[in-house]
C-alpha cells in the first residue's frame, strides 16, 4: 500500500529515489532483510512513478481530444 508521504512525492523525486534503490540493490552487500526492504520500497516508488505517467498521459489525451473537437467545429 502506498503511504500518504509517497502520494506527496513528485515524479522526479520518486524516480530519483527509485534509481538510488536500484543502484543499492545492484551493488549488493546488503543483508537479505535489507534487500527485501529495498525491493519493497522500489515497488512502491515504481507505482508512484506509474501513477504520475498515467496522469500525464490522460491529460495529453484529453488535450488532444479537445483540440480535435475544436478543429472539427471550424
Amino acid at each position: 500500500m502506498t503511504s500518504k508521504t509517497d502520494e506527496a512525492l513528485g515524479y522526479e523525486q520518486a524516480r530519483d529515489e527509485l534509481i538510488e534503490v536500484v543502484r543499492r540493490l545492484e551493488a549488493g552487500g546488503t543483508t537479505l532483510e535489507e534487500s527485501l526492504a529495498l525491493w519493497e520500497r522500489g515497488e512502491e516508488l515504481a507505482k508512484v512513478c506509474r501513477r504520475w505517467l498515467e496522469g500525464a498521459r490522460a491529460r495529453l489525451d484529453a488535450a488532444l481530444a479537445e483540440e480535435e473537437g475544436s478543429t472539427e467545429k471550424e
Side-chain angles (χ1 to χ4, degrees):
M1 179 186 314
T2 304
S3 71
K4 293 283 187 195
T5 305
D6 288 344
E7 291 175 9
L9 282 176
Y11 172 77
E12 289 80 6
Q13 292 170 305
R15 181 203 59 210
D16 291 347
E17 188 178 341
L18 179 57
I19 289 168
E20 180 60 21
V21 165
V22 170
R23 186 196 65 73
R24 288 181 61 196
L25 284 169
E26 288 178 340
T30 57
T31 66
L32 177 59
E33 190 64 34
E34 290 169 330
S35 294
L36 286 172
L38 285 168
W39 180 80
E40 289 170 345
R41 180 64 180 153
E43 287 292 318
E44 291 302 317
L45 292 164
K47 288 177 188 176
V48 170
C49 289
R50 194 173 309 115
R51 275 195 303 276
W52 274 104
L53 292 173
E54 288 169 356
R57 169 51 66 193
R59 288 174 62 187
L60 286 170
D61 289 345
L64 289 171
E66 185 177 311
E67 185 178 309
E68 262 184 33
S70 66
T71 302
E72 289 176 5
K73 291 179 183 178
E74 292 177 4

